[in-house]
Amino acid sequence: MTARHLAAYLLEAAERAGDSPAYADAKGVRSYRDYRDESLRVAALLTDAGVVAGDRVCIALPKGFPLYATIHAALLVNACYVPIDYTTPVERGRAILTDAAARVLVTTGPNLTRLLGTDGDDKYDIAIVPLGPPGHGDATAHRTVAWSATPRSEPPGAGSLDPDAEAYVLYTSGSTGTPKGVVQSQRSATAFAEWASVELDLGPTDVVPQVASVTFDLSVFDLFAATRAGACLTPIAEGSMVSPVTFCRAVARSGATVLYCVPSLVLRETRGQAFAWQDLAGAGLRHIVFAGEPIDKPALRRLRPQIPGVAIHNWFGPTETNVCAFYRISDADLAEEGPMPIGRPCPYARFEYAWDAPDGQEPPTGELLVAGDTVLSAYWQRPAETSERILARDGERFFRTGDYVHFNHRCDLVFVGRRDRRVEPDDDPPRRAG
């Protein structure tokens, strides 16, 4: 697959169909030309604040157009975006900001005060604060740039977007609870976005609700597969996710045609569940894609008759590989007992297995190892942990997922749990190609 760049999707969509809707919320609709121009404007502000290629740009903004434009702005200058959940506890936000050694922080005035401990910044709607190398020090010593400034900018040339640049760093707590940055490249993100948009046949008539926080890898689909296809992105407010009733109602109101979310948002049983599913049944959905947690199969059995024309998928993969396995759920799957399969490798992934069961035991169970374009570049500033989790073999890099799997009677993979102490990180596991 030819290496691409995430920012190229936006530039190409604006050139191809600039008047098409790119973003919609209760306040109105923004076109792809608006999206591109706003991203270019903020890219110029980032450059004025000292951002250069390879820098990290920390972004702590609520869901909405400014957040998405800032993410694309960072990519347009070949920087790496580092999202911080806008509602995250201040201690975690500061830990990420410090660990990422960011060149700038982009956030609201009140949140700037909260994260950096500065005074007098509430006057800013959104501010860009240069932090200076190496991302630490007294932010008040630097010029704070208002996001509403309007410098001139021109679209970058095709040759200025580096397909080998790092795209983003997503922080995951891991088993220790300490924030740990997963670095993913442009090559990784575009491999997933291009496959996903083709797999779901995304196009300009689709509406994609932005559900997951941009600190989670599910958001990569929302932001970039949609942009590649020229689809319209619409944010789902955090307050709409308190129950399946409010969530399904918000999805239906958005006009969503493709929904990508954790299954509990839809399948978690509540007293109003039937009403929630009626909302989904009346929406224009073509696909529902579940990921991030096991599927409640009994609940899905009850939902299926109400949305007979909607394709339902189960996608699987840790943050370190994005989606690496996919499966389209059939009526036969719902009729059977046992967990839902996670399917087979995506075209850009290759699987091996560290079998960890006595010979002859059925079904054989082992740890899943993943190679391919979407395997993380590294854990940010954690070389020892990177070496521990990535095995180099015959020119390939295999990530040890820590996930245990086996094959079902159809030769589809089934997730059965997390790796325990039976396989230690420095073991050399046996090999089997997927």
Side-chain angles (χ1 to χ4, degrees), residues 134-208:
H136 307 295
D138 182 8
T140 60
H142 301 276
R143 178 172 62 95
T144 300
V145 179
W147 194 85
S148 57
T150 55
R152 298 176 61 183
S153 182
E154 295 295 329
S160 67
L161 295 177
D162 183 3
D164 295 316
E166 304 300 353
Y168 57 80
V169 180
L170 300 185
Y171 275 82
T172 177
S173 293
S175 59
T176 65
T178 302
K180 177 176 58 179
V182 175
V183 183
Q184 287 285 22
S185 66
Q186 291 287 343
R187 189 179 302 275
S188 167
T190 55
F192 166 69
E194 297 194 4
W195 168 80
S197 61
V198 172
E199 178 67 15
L200 301 182
D201 191 27
L202 284 181
T205 60
D206 281 306
V207 176
V208 177

Side-chain angles (χ1 to χ4, degrees), residues 294-320:
I295 291 174
D296 181 343
K297 187 180 283 188
L300 186 55
R301 286 191 188 112
R302 291 188 282 276
L303 168 64
R304 173 79 273 187
Q306 300 188 50
I307 52 169
V310 179
I312 304 177
H313 309 256
N314 190 24
W315 288 0
F316 175 86
T319 302
E320 289 88 345

Side-chain angles (χ1 to χ4, degrees), residues 275-350:
F275 180 74
W277 290 345
Q278 288 170 10
D279 280 327
L280 277 189
L285 285 172
R286 299 191 301 113
H287 297 277
I288 296 178
V289 182
F290 291 130
E293 59 189 29
I295 291 174
D296 181 343
K297 187 180 283 188
L300 186 55
R301 286 191 188 112
R302 291 188 282 276
L303 168 64
R304 173 79 273 187
Q306 300 188 50
I307 52 169
V310 179
I312 304 177
H313 309 256
N314 190 24
W315 288 0
F316 175 86
T319 302
E320 289 88 345
T321 69
N322 208 308
V323 173
C324 60
F326 69 110
Y327 190 75
R328 182 162 176 166
I329 297 171
S330 68
D331 290 342
D333 295 310
L334 293 175
E336 295 175 348
E337 298 302 320
M340 192 66 69
I342 60 173
R344 301 187 180 189
C346 295
Y348 47 73
R350 195 169 82 81

Side-chain angles (χ1 to χ4, degrees), residues 38-366:
E38 193 76 334
S39 299
L40 287 168
R41 186 183 65 77
V42 179
L45 288 172
L46 293 177
T47 300
D48 286 351
V51 175
V52 298
D55 280 344
R56 286 153 303 286
V57 175
C58 277
I59 306 170
L61 294 171
K63 284 181 180 178
F65 194 65
L67 170 62
Y68 309 145
T70 304
I71 286 174
H72 277 89
L75 296 170
L76 282 164
V77 296
N78 286 309
C80 181
Y81 76 89
V82 185
I84 299 175
D85 194 296
Y86 189 68
T87 62
T88 198
V90 65
E91 294 80 8
R92 177 176 172 84
R94 288 178 176 176
I96 292 173
L97 190 62
T98 299
D99 186 72
R103 176 71 68 175
V104 300
L105 168 65
V106 185
T107 191
T108 64
N111 206 43
L112 182 62
T113 301
R114 193 172 71 98
L115 287 176
L116 295 181
T118 58
D119 295 323
D121 289 314
D122 287 6
K123 64 182 179 181
Y124 293 103
D125 177 20
I126 299 174
I128 300 172
V129 182
L131 302 177
H136 307 295
D138 182 8
T140 60
H142 301 276
R143 178 172 62 95
T144 300
V145 179
W147 194 85
S148 57
T150 55
R152 298 176 61 183
S153 182
E154 295 295 329
S160 67
L161 295 177
D162 183 3
D164 295 316
E166 304 300 353
Y168 57 80
V169 180
L170 300 185
Y171 275 82
T172 177
S173 293
S175 59
T176 65
T178 302
K180 177 176 58 179
V182 175
V183 183
Q184 287 285 22
S185 66
Q186 291 287 343
R187 189 179 302 275
S188 167
T190 55
F192 166 69
E194 297 194 4
W195 168 80
S197 61
V198 172
E199 178 67 15
L200 301 182
D201 191 27
L202 284 181
T205 60
D206 281 306
V207 176
V208 177
Q210 207 275 294
V211 178
S213 165
V214 293
T215 60
F216 293 105
D217 60 338
L218 272 69
S219 66
V220 175
F221 171 85
D222 302 338
L223 293 170
F224 304 114
T227 306
R228 178 189 183 275
C232 183
L233 188 67
T234 182
I236 301 296
E238 299 295 335
S240 299
M241 301 186 203
V242 295
S243 76
V245 174
T246 55
F247 177 69
C248 292
R249 184 179 297 161
V251 170
R253 280 199 307 265
S254 74
T257 60
V258 177
L259 173 62
Y260 185 36
C261 67
V262 295
S264 59
L265 281 174
V266 174
L267 301 178
R268 187 172 74 250
E269 298 283 7
T270 71
R271 293 174 60 185
Q273 191 69 58
F275 180 74
W277 290 345
Q278 288 170 10
D279 280 327
L280 277 189
L285 285 172
R286 299 191 301 113
H287 297 277
I288 296 178
V289 182
F290 291 130
E293 59 189 29
I295 291 174
D296 181 343
K297 187 180 283 188
L300 186 55
R301 286 191 188 112
R302 291 188 282 276
L303 168 64
R304 173 79 273 187
Q306 300 188 50
I307 52 169
V310 179
I312 304 177
H313 309 256
N314 190 24
W315 288 0
F316 175 86
T319 302
E320 289 88 345
T321 69
N322 208 308
V323 173
C324 60
F326 69 110
Y327 190 75
R328 182 162 176 166
I329 297 171
S330 68
D331 290 342
D333 295 310
L334 293 175
E336 295 175 348
E337 298 302 320
M340 192 66 69
I342 60 173
R344 301 187 180 189
C346 295
Y348 47 73
R350 195 169 82 81
F351 291 174
E352 290 190 357
Y353 312 92
W355 299 115
D356 189 35
D359 290 342
Q361 178 175 319
E362 294 295 339
T365 298

Side-chain angles (χ1 to χ4, degrees), residues 368-382:
L368 176 64
L369 284 69
V370 182
D373 284 344
T374 61
V375 170
L376 79 162
S377 300
Y379 288 111
W380 173 248
Q381 298 193 123
R382 292 175 180 246

